[in-house]
Amino acid sequence: MTMKIGTGDFKERVDQGIHDSFMRGAVAGAQERMGTRRNDAAEELGNWEDWRSHGEEIRQHVLEHLDYYLQQLSENIASRGGHVFFAQTGEEANQYIQDVVKRKNAKKVVKAKSMVTEEIALNDCLKQAGCEVIETDLGEYILQVDDHDPPSHIVVPALHKNKEQIRDVFAERLGYQKTSKPEELAGHARLKLREEFLSADIGITGCNFAVAETGSFSLVTNEGNADLVTALPKTQITVMGMERLVPTFEELEVLVSLLTRSAVGQKLTSYITVLTGPREEFDVDGPEEFHLVIVDNGRSQILGGEFQSILQCIRCAACINTCPVYRHVGGHSYGSIYSGPIGAVLSPLLGGYEDYKELPYASTLCGACTDVCPVKIPLHQLLHKHRQNIVENTGQAPISEKLAMKAFGLGAASPSLYKLGSKIAPAAMNPFTQGDKIKKGPGPLKAWTEIRDFPAPNKERFRDWYKNRDKGGNQ
Amino acid sequence: MKGTIQNREKFLNQISARLGHNDISNSIPQRSWKYHPQDEVLTDTSPDQLVEVLKTQCLKIHTSLLSANLDNLAATLDKIVTDYGGGPVVTWKDQRFSEWGLDRLMKDAWPKENIEVHEWDYTQGAENIRYAEKANIGITISEITLAESGTVVLLSDKDKGRTVSFLPACFIALIPKSSIVPRITQAARIIRQKHLDGHRVASCINFITGPSNSADIELDLVVGVHGPVKATYIIIDDI
Ligand code: SF4
């Protein structure tokens, strides 16, 4: 699997998404619950806006000094006996990892969930090297057992599957005989995966944040799988996107706090593990050999340009959990492992406009994503920039806005979706309003305004909208 | 032994060029933050108030919390171990167990009751991991405890295996009351300061908050996935 998922074109994928009623219900329910949890976790702090501003300034600072911090990180890892490989491309990263695997004569690899290894299609390359690859995050494991069904959400990858489907897959593939109760399903996975952890030759993880000053890196999970992946196999390989680091432990804690609250509404997740180098001389567990692979894969081209702020992203999925379009069409419609607003901005940058030109149109530009982003990435403005670029490059939009709206099922059938979006629409829309009606909106609103006038966005905050949404806004 | 670094120059040069830097600066970038929201959380809170915060949080993280003093610690621990169904038990090798008067329980009473106890012993190598894998209960000590999130912080070393806290079905952490701080902010500062003072950062620092769990199936919470299924904290009044 690469960053690209699914077959069929954009419209087909969206059609499938809209017609999968379990998926749509699951997504709506998930947004509801995760959104509420996130809101509570944020509000509980009392000074959430300051936290966001602090997260933003830390991430901006790191990007401005990325060369320095990567240099410092690599020195400190090497001085603790770890090996660092800088990979310009996904192929380079895969080649290096394949070499390690061959040198170790490894047959079995256990993995903890990592978006960047999906992005570079590492699993395929490991299999080519003759390795069995086992994903150990419960959601990823389920997808893997089901013939590598693609993930539909960056935090809850199997969100589109219900428990009966999971039971059937387990029964067919793993000889599972119990019920569809989540505890029993998880218990079975625990049993199966224990054996794998204990017999694996290599553990592979992603990296939530590396710490430049100490040469450390952190893993954030609830299941504890990353801990077993890094404690048991003799060799560990960690793959990180080159921007995923912080200067010191002091900034690490701020970003971890923002991540866990924004992603799952928890103060901290059950396991936050900070590892430094391979095991020490007399340590019994932990890897004997540690490799860190730092991946560019298109990121440096974003740096220094108009989309630089997207590299602030900490992959919390809050924007996804809040997006009315994601809610409507589900993760697979985006055709990328990065879905939702973050995916609509990032996928065209990493994968090119050719493959992802429709994604920037997968938005009502309502700005809800921007409002929740814990590191204040102006997501909806970046989407707008993409649209401008696409029009400038090709002289026309790749998909007429009207069609985009239709494709996303946002035709006249669901005006309430528009209404929800419009309530929180950014000030950018003001020039188009006449009185309290929008006459001629930008972007996809034009499609709408061709048909009828809509009430102009009021200044209602996203939070209020979210709270009131149940009262008939469930579209 | 120093590790290798490959491909760095070209990689970083490209980044420097994109950022408009002539080369990589030799001096550490100045970190002057405008915002300090972490300093407003639970500061000016007394140790007793922090215990209350911790208690409330434990209700949310599926973790039992007990308090003990040095007189009744052994009895308290014994009861939990019995409630959890007895051994095998695996523990770190740590002087403090003995200082807290737990020797009789761990080295005498439990073995007599057929509760097998394995104390981590690095000279036995991977044998330790096999014990941990078999164990019903793992017992560790929190170095720093975070009241806000209900988190214990464990630092690995040769006598303190990582797997003691992951492999057994039940997890018990002893928390010296003096180790409780408001939140992860203070822990990060303590860890950083130690590093700046020239101490080696532990190869594995675990921030553990309750038992393992997952919401990957229909977002229903399942407690106990890869790590422990049950967790208990015991606060020891040492102040
Ligand atoms: S863009 Fe912001 S909200 Fe979305 S995943 Fe990244 S950090 Fe989270």
Side-chain angles (χ1 to χ4, degrees):
Chain A
M1 193 185 304
T2 56
M3 186 173 95
K4 202 167 173 179
I5 58 171
T7 47
D9 70 3
F10 172 70
K11 188 166 180 324
E12 288 168 34
R13 291 192 308 262
V14 172
D15 270 353
Q16 270 172 18
I18 290 173
H19 290 112
D20 181 341
S21 64
F22 168 77
M23 185 282 294
R24 289 189 56 195
V27 168
Q31 283 202 327
E32 209 96 357
R33 288 161 71 179
M34 299 181 83
T36 309
R37 273 190 235 161
R38 189 210 71 89
N39 273 348
D40 293 348
E43 266 173 28
E44 173 187 69
L45 276 170
N47 55 353
W48 183 244
E49 287 310 305
D50 284 357
W51 279 93
R52 292 178 70 215
S53 300
H54 192 34
E56 178 190 31
E57 65 178 342
I58 291 171
R59 292 300 293 144
Q60 285 178 344
H61 170 91
V62 167
L63 294 177
E64 286 305 325
H65 301 282
L66 192 58
D67 43 0
Y68 178 88
Y69 286 122
L70 283 173
Q71 167 113 337
Q72 189 189 22
L73 174 73
S74 54
E75 281 303 321
N76 287 326
I77 287 181
S79 74
R80 285 289 292 247
H83 303 289
V84 185
F85 182 81
F86 285 89
Q88 215 104 49
T89 61
E91 291 78 46
E92 276 179 33
N94 286 340
Q95 188 57 52
Y96 178 80
I97 296 167
Q98 213 173 43
D99 289 347
V100 174
V101 165
K102 283 189 184 144
R103 208 167 51 238
K104 295 281 150 193
N105 201 9
K107 294 279 167 279
K108 189 183 281 187
V109 170
V110 281
K111 275 183 78 204
K113 180 169 167 293
S114 142
M115 296 306 289
V116 66
T117 60
E118 296 280 337
E119 181 189 313
I120 64 175
L122 175 62
N123 288 8
D124 292 344
C125 145
L126 290 168
K127 278 176 223 152
Q128 277 163 23
C131 253
E132 188 188 353
V133 185
I134 297 128
E135 293 287 352
T136 62
D137 169 85
L138 182 56
E140 295 270 356
Y141 180 68
I142 292 167
L143 297 181
Q144 184 172 45
V145 173
D146 192 13
D147 274 340
H148 307 277
D149 195 17
S152 61
H153 188 281
I154 65 174
V155 172
V156 193
L159 183 62
H160 56 287
K161 280 195 150 28
N162 66 32
K163 49 185 194 271
E164 284 75 27
Q165 290 169 326
I166 298 169
R167 182 205 50 215
D168 293 348
V169 171
F170 275 22
E172 195 188 314
R173 303 289 157 85
L174 306 174
Y176 176 76
Q177 293 178 339
K178 292 189 185 162
T179 71
S180 62
K181 273 205 195 121
E183 300 84 63
E184 292 186 350
L185 292 165
H188 193 70
R190 175 190 171 101
L191 222 67
K192 286 270 167 205
L193 285 168
R194 262 301 159 95
E195 296 162 20
E196 311 287 14
F197 285 122
L198 289 162
S199 59
D201 305 298
I202 294 186
I204 296 185
T205 74
C207 161
N208 286 99
F209 307 102
V211 183
E213 187 177 62
T214 52
S216 314
F217 75 95
S218 61
L219 294 167
V220 176
T221 78
N222 268 317
E223 298 179 10
N225 57 321
D227 297 283
L228 293 172
V229 166
T230 56
L232 296 171
K234 288 219 157 51
T235 303
Q236 183 194 328
I237 303 170
T238 291
V239 188
M240 73 176 250
M242 68 175 200
E243 78 287 11
R244 304 298 295 274
L245 80 171
V246 294
T248 78
F249 264 83
E250 292 183 18
E251 292 78 29
L252 173 70
E253 79 82 4
V254 174
L255 292 175
V256 166
S257 297
L258 285 167
L259 173 63
T260 56
R261 283 184 196 255
S262 302
V264 281
Q266 287 170 279
K267 293 185 180 98
L268 293 179
T269 55
S270 289
Y271 295 97
I272 292 160
T273 304
V274 187
L275 300 164
T276 308
R279 68 165 76 156
E280 297 272 55
E281 193 179 352
F282 296 111
D283 284 1
V284 169
D285 41 19
E288 286 167 4
E289 199 176 302
F290 170 63
H291 300 262
L292 179 71
V293 179
I294 302 175
V295 178
D296 181 329
N297 203 30
R299 288 164 173 76
S300 57
Q301 295 310 307
I302 304 174
L303 208 60
E306 56 183 350
F307 292 98
Q308 176 167 314
S309 60
I310 201 65
L311 296 176
Q312 289 164 215
C313 176
I314 61 173
R315 305 283 190 273
C316 71
C319 57
I320 300 175
N321 294 338
T322 220
C323 176
V325 174
Y326 178 90
R327 183 185 183 86
H328 200 68
V329 301
H332 288 165
S333 300
Y334 293 79
S336 162
I337 57 163
Y338 299 113
S339 57
I342 171 64
V345 177
L346 190 61
S347 305
L349 293 169
L350 296 180
Y353 282 137
E354 190 48 49
D355 279 343
Y356 293 108
K357 57 188 177 303
E358 293 97 347
L359 291 194
Y361 293 83
S363 164
T364 60
L365 296 183
C366 71
C369 46
T370 302
D371 266 5
V372 294
C373 177
V375 288
K376 287 190 152 176
I377 301 171
L379 290 157
H380 71 290
Q381 286 170 20
L382 297 181
L383 288 171
H384 193 66
K385 270 200 186 111
H386 268 317
R387 294 187 189 181
Q388 286 171 330
N389 290 355
I390 290 167
V391 173
E392 260 169 41
N393 287 350
T394 62
Q396 56 171 26
I399 172 169
S400 84
E401 285 142 357
K402 199 166 175 175
L403 208 73
M405 296 304 280
K406 261 215 190 115
F408 272 93
L410 310 182
S414 50
S416 68
L417 174 65
Y418 163 75
K419 236 183 345 197
L420 297 172
S422 74
K423 280 189 188 159
I424 46 173
M429 261 170 217
N430 286 348
F432 304 98
T433 60
Q434 290 177 2
D436 60 353
K437 296 269 196 279
I438 296 177
K439 283 296 182 201
K440 190 173 176 312
L445 291 181
K446 217 166 86 200
W448 284 99
T449 50
E450 276 169 11
I451 314 167
R452 57 180 119 172
D453 289 346
F454 282 95
N458 65 25
K459 294 262 170 350
E460 191 184 8
R461 298 277 307 151
F462 172 71
R463 271 189 287 282
D464 303 325
W465 165 72
Y466 205 94
K467 279 188 178 146
N468 293 334
R469 192 180 41 162
D470 281 349
K471 301 169 195 146
N474 195 12
Q475 182 59 242
Chain B
M1 199 193 63
K2 205 167 158 29
T4 54
I5 300 176
Q6 295 176 56
N7 272 3
R8 181 168 67 183
E9 207 176 313
K10 193 168 147 233
F11 190 101
L12 293 189
N13 282 345
Q14 174 147 335
I15 294 177
S16 299
R18 294 291 305 182
L19 290 170
H21 300 168
N22 288 331
D23 46 34
I24 300 171
S25 110
N26 285 320
S27 51
I28 302 181
Q30 272 307 311
R31 298 173 302 130
S32 50
W33 308 127
K34 284 221 297 277
Y35 298 89
H36 306 274
Q38 65 275 50
D39 288 329
E40 292 169 28
V41 186
L42 294 176
T43 33
D44 299 323
T45 315
S46 74
D48 285 326
Q49 286 169 321
L50 288 179
V51 169
E52 286 313 309
V53 174
L54 180 60
K55 274 188 185 154
T56 315
Q57 177 62 14
C58 281
L59 298 174
K60 296 188 191 158
I61 56 168
H62 311 273
T63 300
S64 325
L65 183 101
L66 301 165
S67 300
N69 53 37
L70 291 181
D71 295 330
N72 62 13
L73 174 61
T76 309
L77 184 59
D78 189 27
K79 179 162 188 320
I80 302 168
V81 167
T82 311
D83 289 352
Y84 277 164
V89 172
V90 57
T91 73
W92 282 351
K93 182 183 170 72
D94 195 309
Q95 197 50 38
R96 286 171 291 183
F97 290 128
S98 173
E99 286 164 20
W100 291 333
L102 294 173
D103 277 352
R104 259 194 46 211
L105 177 71
M106 290 177 159
K107 300 198 163 144
D108 196 32
W110 281 345
K112 272 191 191 140
E113 291 166 42
N114 268 336
I115 295 179
E116 195 189 330
V117 183
H118 174 76
E119 184 184 66
W120 198 264
D121 174 4
Y122 74 90
T123 62
Q124 290 186 40
E127 202 49 34
N128 290 286
I129 297 174
R130 275 186 280 282
Y131 276 111
E133 218 285 307
K134 268 195 342 209
N136 180 36
I137 301 174
I139 304 179
T140 58
I141 301 172
S142 175
E143 302 295 342
I144 311 170
T145 308
L146 320 181
E148 180 200 37
S149 52
T151 306
V152 295
V153 182
L154 311 182
L155 308 179
S156 70
D157 78 21
K158 66 183 195 326
D159 296 321
K160 299 172 181 168
R162 312 174 182 196
T163 39
V164 174
S165 56
F166 308 133
L167 287 174
C170 309
F171 172 63
I172 299 178
L174 305 186
I175 298 178
K177 190 171 165 190
S178 58
S179 74
I180 305 177
V181 297
R183 71 186 309 278
I184 189 174
T185 305
Q186 288 72 25
R189 286 176 186 161
I190 293 168
I191 293 165
R192 173 160 194 242
Q193 194 53 51
K194 273 207 205 158
H195 164 75
L196 295 176
D197 292 343
H199 297 282
R200 261 173 108 74
V201 178
S203 57
C204 176
I205 304 176
N206 284 119
F207 294 82
I208 299 183
T209 305
S212 77
N213 63 81
S214 170
D216 271 355
I217 301 176
E218 293 195 12
L219 283 187
D220 270 349
L221 187 76
V222 174
V223 178
V225 187
H226 298 300
V229 181
K230 291 177 181 156
T232 293
Y233 297 162
I234 306 177
I235 301 179
I236 304 169
D237 195 352
D238 67 337
I239 339 185

